[in-house]
Amino acid sequence: MKKQLKVLAVGAGWRGSNSKSLFNGFSKLGCDVRIIETDGYFYNYSIPERLYMKVRKVPLKVKFQKFNKTIERTIDSYRPDILFVVKGLWVTEAIIQYAKLRGITTIHFHPDFLFDDRYHTSLILDKAILSYDMVVTAKTTEVEKYKQYGCRNVHFMKYAYDPDIHHPVQLSAAEKRGFQTDVAFVGRMEPPRADALNSLAKENYDLKVWGTKWDKIPKNYELNKYCEGRPIFCEEMAKVFQGAKVSVGFLTQLSAEQHTARTFEIPACRGFFLGTRTEEHVEIFKPGVEADFFGSTEELAEKVAFYTRNDELRARIAQKGYEKVIKLDATYENRVKGILDFAEIVQSGSDRLVLR
């Protein structure tokens, strides 16, 4: 009889997060999964806590210690085969070593940039990352940087979509009023993104912009009237992609990013994906057939003008893009299978899980 893999998963537990979808991927593959959510320990900081973190570079000691002690105690009681940590900013090196001494395979996935975006790392993670048996990244440019930093086993994994969340939906009459638009964007504000979208706003397109930091754009931007003032998740995000004629997929300027989760989420909702032109994007989707791409603000404006006027072509491309992500099986379940394959972790009853 095959042994059921036991996975202790540590990360954000809210529905729609990369981590939660990955944890569900383990479950769908037949693993027994126990989750320690970081949500309850971190992220909802008071002003005093934020000041403390700014000076000490770690959360309050009581939270920090309780969090790591919880992981330690769960390791002892649950005895997992795998410790899978997503964005382990506050998981200490000592905890990783504690797990490894008990024969547990340790894996870390960082959904953001560890090296090029210092906002998404910590001194704790900088030290602990070297102790993991395996690290996973969805950022092409990070692979070699992990290796140069000293990480032994680095696995590149493309982002994915969650079929339980990202799928075509039927909009009600009220939802059409709330979500139908010419152009939509879901993501955080970065100045180049704001400038490009403001150019479209000046052309009197109907826009809807969802995400964080958009209150920071210049007050004189036309774009201000199109910012929804909040992030959007799960089924609501699917409705955004379904309701927009064009869903724009910007990439961050923090590094040479090649694709993001939106690359798969938008087509999975049968939305029309107009993304930044990169080698990976062009490898995934045939330009003008399954999606389309732009390389400048001027080209973005040209493509928006063209596709908002050509309903039949736009619908055909959106359908082809949807069919492509289904064919690719670009799901989190499939990504987890890739992680397990890379780590040579097989559900065959082996007492010791061995990395290549």
Side-chain angles (χ1 to χ4, degrees):
M1 182 180 293
K2 290 184 178 180
K3 175 185 175 183
Q4 184 182 35
L5 282 177
K6 297 171 70 175
V7 180
L8 176 55
V10 180
W14 51 273
R15 189 168 179 272
S17 62
N18 301 120
S19 49
K20 181 62 172 177
S21 292
L22 283 165
F23 301 161
N24 290 342
F26 279 104
S27 296
K28 289 178 179 180
L29 288 173
C31 299
D32 178 25
V33 182
R34 187 167 297 184
I35 301 172
I36 296 176
E37 297 184 5
T38 52
D39 315 42
Y41 290 92
F42 311 110
Y43 306 122
N44 294 317
Y45 299 118
S46 64
I47 293 177
E49 284 180 298
R50 291 181 185 278
L51 292 173
Y52 180 91
M53 287 184 67
K54 190 172 183 179
V55 175
R56 298 296 184 90
K57 308 301 181 186
V58 292
L60 288 176
K61 191 174 182 179
V62 63
K63 283 188 176 182
F64 180 68
Q65 290 182 335
K66 183 180 179 182
F67 171 63
N68 281 277
K69 194 65 179 178
T70 298
I71 299 174
E72 180 184 315
R73 287 173 176 165
T74 307
I75 286 172
D76 291 339
S77 62
Y78 180 53
R79 299 185 181 277
D81 299 298
I82 305 167
L83 174 61
F84 182 73
V85 180
V86 177
K87 200 171 182 178
L89 300 182
W90 313 121
V91 180
T92 64
E93 180 187 27
I95 285 294
I96 304 307
Q97 294 294 349
Y98 188 84
K100 291 172 70 171
L101 286 172
R102 284 150 183 79
I104 299 167
T105 300
T106 56
I107 304 173
H108 185 274
F109 170 61
H110 203 320
D112 300 301
F113 290 99
L114 183 70
F115 301 101
D116 291 344
D117 180 4
R118 301 309 295 172
Y119 176 77
H120 289 291
T121 189
S122 69
L123 296 176
I124 299 296
L125 178 57
D126 287 350
K127 187 175 181 181
I129 197 70
L130 293 170
S131 294
Y132 285 90
D133 291 310
M134 172 179 163
V135 296
V136 182
T137 179
K139 310 293 188 183
T140 310
T141 56
E142 296 273 284
V143 173
E144 193 57 38
K145 292 177 182 179
Y146 272 109
K147 292 179 180 178
Q148 291 175 357
Y149 194 67
C151 297
R152 294 183 295 116
N153 296 292
V154 184
H155 175 59
F156 172 70
M157 175 196 83
K158 285 188 174 71
Y159 285 104
Y161 74 96
D162 188 333
D164 295 334
I165 298 172
H166 310 113
H167 53 78
V169 294
Q170 281 293 118
L171 300 182
S172 66
E175 289 170 337
K176 287 179 180 179
R177 290 191 294 271
F179 295 108
Q180 281 189 340
T181 188
D182 291 328
V183 182
F185 175 70
V186 177
R188 72 180 181 185
M189 192 283 292
E190 290 184 14
R193 299 173 178 180
D195 292 342
L197 291 172
N198 193 54
S199 295
L200 296 178
K202 290 179 179 178
E203 298 300 319
N204 293 318
Y205 288 106
D206 185 19
L207 307 177
K208 290 188 184 298
V209 179
W210 310 82
T212 58
K213 308 292 186 182
W214 290 98
D215 58 325
K216 307 297 184 183
I217 64 176
K219 300 302 180 185
N220 64 339
Y221 271 26
E222 189 73 13
L223 182 62
N224 278 290
K225 68 174 70 171
Y226 300 110
C227 295
E228 298 294 325
R230 66 179 178 94
I232 198 164
F233 306 101
C234 299
E235 282 76 12
E236 272 201 312
M237 190 161 68
K239 292 171 184 176
V240 169
F241 300 148
Q242 196 80 75
K245 291 182 178 179
V246 173
S247 290
V248 178
F250 289 114
L251 300 178
T252 184
Q253 299 294 304
L254 297 171
S255 186
E257 191 169 53
Q258 288 283 308
H259 81 286
T260 69
R262 301 286 184 269
T263 299
F264 298 103
E265 292 169 353
I266 293 170
C269 298
R270 206 182 283 126
F272 179 87
F273 177 51
L274 180 59
T276 304
R277 185 180 294 104
T278 66
E279 289 183 9
E280 283 179 21
H281 270 164
V282 173
E283 286 173 2
I284 297 167
F285 300 112
K286 295 178 183 177
V289 178
E290 299 164 330
D292 213 343
F293 308 104
F294 60 90
S296 66
T297 298
E298 292 73 25
E299 189 178 10
L300 170 64
E302 291 171 5
K303 293 286 177 74
V304 166
F306 177 74
Y307 284 114
T308 52
R309 291 196 302 262
N310 288 274
D311 296 347
E312 187 176 327
L313 174 61
R314 190 181 66 248
R316 187 162 63 246
I317 292 173
Q319 176 63 29
K320 289 291 185 181
Y322 171 73
E323 293 170 2
K324 185 60 173 288
V325 295
I326 301 300
K327 181 181 179 181
L328 290 172
D329 192 16
T331 62
Y332 283 97
E333 179 182 350
N334 193 41
R335 300 299 188 237
V336 170
K337 185 176 183 298
I339 291 171
L340 294 178
D341 287 345
F342 180 86
E344 293 185 359
I345 300 172
V346 290
Q347 300 175 51
S348 61
S350 172
D351 291 330
R352 178 68 177 101
L353 304 172
V354 183
L355 291 171
R356 67 159 58 99

